Amino acid sequence: MRQRAIRNLANLVTEKATPTRVLDAAAGGKNNFFADRDAVRRYDSAAAVSATAAREVHGFLARVIRHLSSVGTDQHLVIGSGVPGGLPAGRLLHDVARAHPLTPSARVVYAESDPMILANAHATIEPITDLVRVVEGEAREIDALLGDRIVNTFIDWDRPVGILIVSGHSILDDEEFRYVVKRLGQAGPPGSHLGLLQATLDGIPAELLPAVYDLIAMTLPGYATRDRERLAAVLDGLDLVDPGLAWVSQWRPDDHCGPITPESSGNYGALAVLH
């Protein structure tokens, strides 16, 4: 494990921001560098919503996991930044799953491509629980990820699985995104669920859009945002659970959800049941 962590860190690039670490920085985590914190500062100078967006993203993912636990799903594949820093102890997704009385032994596989997040997860999560695995992988290489030995053996693919795509922002092409969704839909047995999160610029005032586009190109090149229409096309044909495609702050909000402008979350979310 130590050698694996060292190998991951050898691939680390610190002078450029990454979406995973920017989200971590916005949430007050420590798995980030100056470039990531500077990106947060730049976004907040245009519209001070980074911390709100990070909080709402984490809240949405937790509510999805609690919903899946309530229907008895006790194994999950989380693709993207499922292991952020800045969360209190016991608030990571595997903790949320195991806190539900129906799924006390829930298993979670996190797939992550950022070397820092990988190294930290290998060092701080895997050693203390036998119910979590962290693998190197990403949505853009979905066939390789689904062929991973740990993904195939740690998860029982003959039973329902909760699959979450947290990193839709990494897929620029809509056709490729549709392939990823289709591939995961085929992999999950009946009764499984497929959820996804997608950053959007819907809700940004029109006069700010040129500056925001320039800022994304400067700080996070290759970061894909989608409007509601494009994302709905990616999800076409899926059986979405209520409330369907929604701002993450409006996806089954609970008592812990504060009153915010939905657009401030900066992300859409959805969950589909697989038949």
Side-chain angles (χ1 to χ4, degrees):
M1 184 178 298
R2 179 179 175 83
Q3 290 179 339
R4 180 171 55 175
I6 292 173
R7 184 175 65 250
N8 289 333
L9 287 175
N11 296 323
L12 191 61
V13 177
T14 64
E15 66 271 15
K16 294 182 179 179
T18 71
T20 299
R21 298 199 308 256
V22 167
L23 179 62
D24 182 86
K30 297 181 179 179
N31 296 326
N32 55 77
F33 297 103
F34 174 80
D36 308 297
R37 296 188 293 274
D38 186 57
V40 171
R41 180 187 61 79
R42 289 170 180 259
Y43 286 113
D44 282 344
S45 68
V49 296
S50 294
T52 297
R55 182 180 67 248
E56 296 303 321
V57 163
H58 294 153
F60 164 74
L61 295 174
R63 295 194 301 277
V64 168
I65 291 294
R66 282 196 290 268
H67 171 73
L68 296 181
S69 295
S70 73
V71 297
T73 301
D74 62 355
Q75 49 180 3
H76 307 278
L77 172 62
V78 182
I79 307 170
S81 53
V83 283
L87 291 180
R91 293 280 300 280
L92 289 172
L93 295 182
H94 59 274
D95 299 314
V96 173
R98 282 152 47 188
H100 196 283
L102 293 180
T103 56
S105 300
R107 292 185 168 212
V108 177
V109 174
Y110 295 110
E112 181 55 66
S113 60
D114 186 280
M116 186 175 190
I117 305 299
L118 273 169
N120 182 70
H122 288 317
T124 62
I125 297 177
E126 283 189 338
I128 63 173
T129 174
D130 194 44
L131 297 173
V132 173
R133 293 291 184 273
V134 183
V135 301
E136 185 171 4
E138 58 182 315
R140 289 178 300 178
E141 298 178 358
I142 195 61
D143 291 320
L145 177 60
L146 289 175
D148 181 88
R149 179 184 61 82
I150 294 176
V151 171
N152 274 285
T153 57
F154 194 70
I155 291 176
D156 180 358
W157 291 94
D158 291 325
R159 298 193 300 110
V161 182
I163 307 170
L164 293 180
I165 308 173
V166 185
S167 54
H169 56 74
S170 69
I171 308 172
L172 288 172
D173 182 74
D174 288 356
E175 284 299 324
E176 181 182 2
F177 202 178
R178 275 190 281 270
Y179 174 77
V180 170
V181 168
K182 179 180 179 181
R183 186 74 176 83
L184 289 170
Q186 292 171 339
S192 296
H193 288 77
L194 175 62
L196 62 81
L197 176 78
Q198 173 63 59
T200 183
L201 298 183
D202 286 358
I204 298 291
E207 64 272 17
L208 294 180
L209 282 175
V212 172
Y213 281 124
D214 288 344
L215 186 55
I216 291 175
M218 182 187 306
T219 59
L220 294 172
Y223 186 82
T225 61
R226 288 178 172 85
D227 61 24
R228 184 184 180 87
E229 183 178 357
R230 283 181 62 194
L231 186 56
V234 170
L235 298 172
D236 186 48
L238 290 179
D239 182 9
L240 301 184
V241 303
D242 289 336
L245 176 59
W247 291 105
V248 292
S249 60
Q250 294 183 323
W251 198 92
R252 302 196 174 198
D254 53 29
D255 293 338
H256 301 290
C257 297
I260 70 162
T261 303
E263 294 85 349
S264 298
S265 65
N267 285 266
Y268 288 121
L271 180 70
V273 60
L274 304 180
H275 299 289

